[in-house]
Amino acid sequence: MSDPVVALIGEIAVTPTAVRTPAGEIPLAESSWQVSDFWQTEQKTPTWAIVAAVLGFCVLAFFSLLFLLVKQTVYKGIVQVTVTNGPRQYVARIPVTTQEQVQQIHNQVNYVRSLAAL
């Protein structure tokens, strides 16, 4: 019978004794964990502005094109979680779109760090 999963970080499953990765198992005891955030922002025209410009073109051609100047900032990024134990290492890259997702990953890694220290 396998141990229950106590934390799931991307494709990394953590049990009370081991870290299960797609590349194999790593012992949880004395493992070290690192988290890195990589964010990028992108400016894009929202869908509603494009629709308003197209529909408004028939009524007020010039003014409806001003809707195309509306920009929306979209945040996207990757949180990289690295687990190392001796010569074994695994890196998980987890796509995120909100700061809440990033905070949840940090909380899960801190929990797993506390388990690894026991």
Side-chain angles (χ1 to χ4, degrees), residues 12 25 34 37 49 54 69 78 84 93 101 115:
I12 300 173
E25 282 197 5
Q34 295 178 343
D37 301 343
V54 171
L69 295 177
I78 292 179
T84 307
R93 291 174 183 85
Q101 291 173 326
L115 292 177

Side-chain angles (χ1 to χ4, degrees), residues 1 3-4 6 14 18 21 24-25 34 47 53 63 70 80 82 84-85 90 92 97 102 111:
M1 185 170 151
D3 291 336
V6 294
V14 181
T21 69
E25 282 197 5
Q34 295 178 343
T47 305
F63 291 113
V70 174
Q80 180 174 299
T82 306
T84 307
N85 194 338
Y90 185 78
T97 55
V102 175
Y111 173 66

Side-chain angles (χ1 to χ4, degrees), residues 59-112:
V59 179
L60 297 169
F62 176 72
F63 291 113
S64 67
L65 293 178
L66 292 177
F67 282 112
L68 297 177
L69 295 177
V70 174
K71 296 296 178 194
Q72 177 182 25
T73 303
V74 177
Y75 298 98
K76 59 183 177 178
I78 292 179
V79 175
Q80 180 174 299
V81 178
T82 306
V83 57
T84 307
N85 194 338
R88 309 234 15 223
Q89 179 177 2
Y90 185 78
V91 178
R93 291 174 183 85
I94 306 163
V96 292
T97 55
T98 65
Q99 189 62 36
E100 290 78 22
Q101 291 173 326
V102 175
Q103 188 60 46
Q104 181 184 11
I105 293 169
H106 278 272
N107 291 342
Q108 288 177 321
V109 170
N110 287 335
Y111 173 66
V112 172

